[in-house]
């Protein structure tokens, strides 16, 4: 058998009339930059998330950079980030002249280890070379961090709190949607493979702070003030294309239903795999996960992945090496052995097919194939 790791074709087939009509509307109006669909999407995103202000931008990486720029973070500042994540989270810090300080991960949730983060903050303050400026968490694989602990840590340490929800948009923590003001600034990505993805690049920034939102909107438009050629700050060119906004509007309308379907897929995976492999944490109470990925932990990962491939089952590894061991970041970390949980996770994580349109039969087939791959016959 063969199946899709992420099935965008089935989603498009279901939403085709709405998506096609929206695209045609943009083509007819010829408003390709900052067309009315952009503001319509921003209003819909605010309504969905509960955020007071939403500013869309060109991609999820820009969203992180815009957040840092709006807070004035730059040379001499330290931003505390998990090492077990994608490079975008760390690279924007360096691009602005600040320094990433890598911290460890919780081996059960895959998210930031708050004890490791606090120790790093205190050590940085003791050394005195950098100003502890911001805590940047990541909702890895769609599992929201403990936002209460993150908020408490940031407040006690006098740091700004930025949430990288590129994989976590749509999740909720204690009944509040990610992006609803739990963090000072929340960012997300609309990369096609994300739970809410467009057909190219796109991103957004969420905040309840009117001033921050206004600054971010200005930065997105080359530092624009009240008029087009009134440049009030150094900015960048980071606008969400009107076509992408038009595609996202009907996708967002279907998003609540898709999130529930992802949750059902994750529950079935866990039921089938429990006792055979270390499965991810499931949501409890008012929590809901976005389930960008369904990620298990396995020994002999390369062998397991090869046996799955032979059985026609796609899988992916996010991420095979933590940031502090990547060649581009070696000088900013303490080397191998310094963040043991992140290093161990990078050796054992394996993500299985995950999308809203996986049938029960397909989940059962993936699960059976994985169980067989865990115990290969001699």
């Amino acid at each position: 058998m063969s199946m899709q790791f992420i099935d965008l074709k089935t989603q498009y087939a279901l939403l085709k009339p709405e998506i096609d009509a929206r695209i045609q509307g943009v083509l007819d109006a010829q408003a390709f930059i900052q067309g009315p669909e952009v503001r319509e999407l921003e209003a819909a995103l605010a309504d969905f998330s509960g955020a007071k202000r939403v500013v869309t931008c060109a991609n999820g990486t820009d969203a992180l950079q815009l957040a840092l720029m709006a807070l004035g973070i730059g040379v001499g500042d330290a931003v505390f980030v998990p090492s077990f994540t994608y490079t975008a989270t760390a690279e924007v810090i360096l691009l602005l002249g600040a320094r990433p300080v890598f911290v460890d991960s919780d081996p059960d949730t895959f998210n930031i280890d708050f004890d490791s983060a606090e120790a790093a903050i205190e050590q940085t303050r003791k050394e005195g070379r950098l100003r502890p400026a911001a805590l940047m968490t990541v909702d890895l694989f769609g599992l929201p961090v403990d936002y209460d602990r993150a908020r408490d840590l940031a407040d006690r340490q006098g740091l700004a709190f930025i949430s990288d929800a590129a994989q976590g948009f749509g999740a909720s923590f204690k009944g509040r949607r990610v992006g609803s003001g739990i963090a000072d600034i929340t960012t997300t990505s609309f990369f096609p493979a994300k739970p809410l993805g467009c057909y190219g690049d796109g991103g957004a920034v969420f905040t309840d702070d009117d001033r921050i939102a206004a600054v971010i909107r200005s930065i997105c438009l080359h530092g624009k003030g009240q008029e087009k050629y009134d440049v009030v700050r150094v900015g960048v060119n980071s606008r969400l294309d009107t076509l992408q906004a038009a595609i996202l509007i009907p996708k967002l309308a279907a998003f609540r239903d898709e999130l529930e379907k992802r949750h059902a897929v994750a529950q079935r995976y866990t039921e089938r795999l429990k006792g055979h492999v270390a499965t991810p944490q499931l949501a409890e109470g008012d929590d809901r996960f976005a389930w960008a990925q369904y990620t298990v932990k396995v020994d002999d990962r390369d062998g397991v992945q090869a046996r799955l491939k032979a059985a026609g089952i796609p899988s992916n590894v996010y991420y095979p090496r933590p940031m502090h061991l990547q060649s581009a970041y070696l000088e900013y970390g303490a080397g191998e052995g310094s963040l043991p949980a992140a290093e161990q996770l990078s050796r054992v994580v394996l993500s299985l097919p995950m999308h809203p349109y996986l049938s029960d039969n397909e989940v059962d087939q993936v699960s059976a194939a994985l169980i067989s791959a865990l115990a290969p016959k001699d």
Side-chain angles (χ1 to χ4, degrees):
M1 63 167 289
S2 179
M3 67 175 63
Q4 297 296 312
F5 186 75
I6 296 172
D7 188 357
L8 296 178
K9 288 185 177 180
T10 296
Q11 182 196 54
Y12 175 57
L14 292 170
L15 300 178
K16 187 178 189 303
E18 296 91 340
I19 291 175
D20 287 359
R22 283 286 186 169
I23 291 173
Q24 189 61 53
V26 176
L27 296 177
D28 291 342
Q30 296 285 291
F32 298 117
I33 304 296
Q34 296 291 285
E37 288 82 359
V38 174
R39 294 294 180 267
E40 182 183 351
L41 174 65
E42 289 177 346
L45 289 168
D47 180 68
F48 175 87
S49 66
K52 186 177 179 182
R53 296 284 181 264
V54 178
V55 181
T56 54
C57 59
N59 54 71
T61 306
D62 278 6
L64 290 167
Q65 181 171 325
L66 291 164
L68 293 169
M69 291 175 73
L71 294 171
I73 291 173
V75 177
D77 290 333
V79 181
F80 300 88
V81 297
S83 181
F84 185 57
T85 186
Y86 186 56
T87 184
T89 311
E91 70 187 357
V92 294
I93 301 167
L94 286 166
L95 287 172
L96 295 176
R99 175 168 174 170
V101 178
F102 296 112
V103 303
D104 216 347
S105 297
D106 183 307
D108 296 321
T109 67
F110 310 114
N111 285 329
I112 193 168
D113 182 312
F114 290 104
D115 291 335
S116 174
E118 183 147 33
I121 294 165
E122 292 177 352
Q123 181 62 30
T124 300
R125 184 169 282 118
K126 181 179 178 181
E127 291 172 354
R129 295 183 294 105
L130 298 168
R131 179 183 76 94
L135 173 69
M136 187 182 289
T137 61
V138 180
D139 294 336
L140 205 63
F141 307 140
L143 281 64
V145 299
D146 186 331
Y147 277 88
D148 286 344
R149 288 198 67 184
R151 179 81 272 172
D152 175 69
L153 176 59
D155 288 348
R156 283 190 293 102
Q157 294 287 353
L159 308 181
F161 173 23
I162 300 170
S163 169
D164 177 353
Q167 299 177 34
F169 184 67
S172 60
F173 176 76
K174 294 186 176 179
R176 296 184 65 184
R177 289 280 190 192
V178 168
S180 62
I182 310 174
D184 296 324
I185 305 175
T186 299
T187 71
T188 199
S189 167
F190 300 129
F191 184 79
K194 295 295 190 284
L196 179 63
C198 55
Y199 292 161
D201 274 315
V205 183
F206 303 76
T207 183
D208 284 356
D209 189 308
D210 290 340
R211 184 195 66 81
I212 288 176
V215 170
I216 289 173
R217 192 172 297 282
S218 170
I219 296 170
C220 282
L221 302 174
H222 296 286
K224 176 182 173 294
Q226 293 299 313
E227 305 295 334
K228 180 176 181 179
Y229 296 111
D230 173 30
V231 182
V232 298
R233 57 178 53 84
V234 175
V236 298
N237 177 13
S238 186
R239 302 171 297 210
L240 181 69
D241 289 344
T242 308
L243 278 168
Q244 300 301 341
I247 290 162
L248 283 164
I249 290 168
K251 282 195 163 197
L252 180 59
F255 193 40
R256 284 183 174 86
D257 179 60
E258 289 188 341
L259 287 168
E260 289 304 313
K261 289 177 178 176
R262 285 177 178 270
H263 181 67
V265 169
Q267 285 186 311
R268 192 170 186 90
Y269 265 137
T270 298
E271 290 169 2
R272 297 297 182 268
L273 295 174
K274 192 173 183 179
H276 297 282
V277 67
T279 56
Q281 177 180 315
L282 287 175
E284 296 181 358
D286 292 331
D287 289 354
R288 271 293 182 268
F289 300 164
W291 294 110
Q293 310 293 344
Y294 187 89
T295 303
V296 297
K297 294 184 285 186
V298 298
D299 296 324
D300 183 28
R301 182 182 61 204
D302 291 347
V304 170
Q305 189 172 28
R307 289 185 283 275
L308 285 175
K309 183 178 180 180
I313 305 295
S315 61
N316 275 308
V317 176
Y318 307 101
Y319 299 94
R321 187 179 304 159
M323 288 300 102
H324 71 288
L325 298 183
Q326 297 277 3
S327 58
Y329 300 111
L330 287 176
E331 65 181 289
Y332 306 106
E336 192 164 358
S338 60
L339 301 176
E343 293 167 28
Q344 174 64 11
L345 285 172
S346 71
R347 291 190 287 266
V348 300
V349 292
L350 184 67
S351 295
L352 304 177
M354 167 54 80
H355 58 81
Y357 304 105
L358 272 173
S359 68
D360 288 349
N361 182 57
E362 287 175 316
V363 173
D364 292 347
Q365 290 181 64
V366 174
S367 301
L370 176 60
I371 292 168
S372 177
L374 292 169
K377 296 179 175 62
D378 294 331

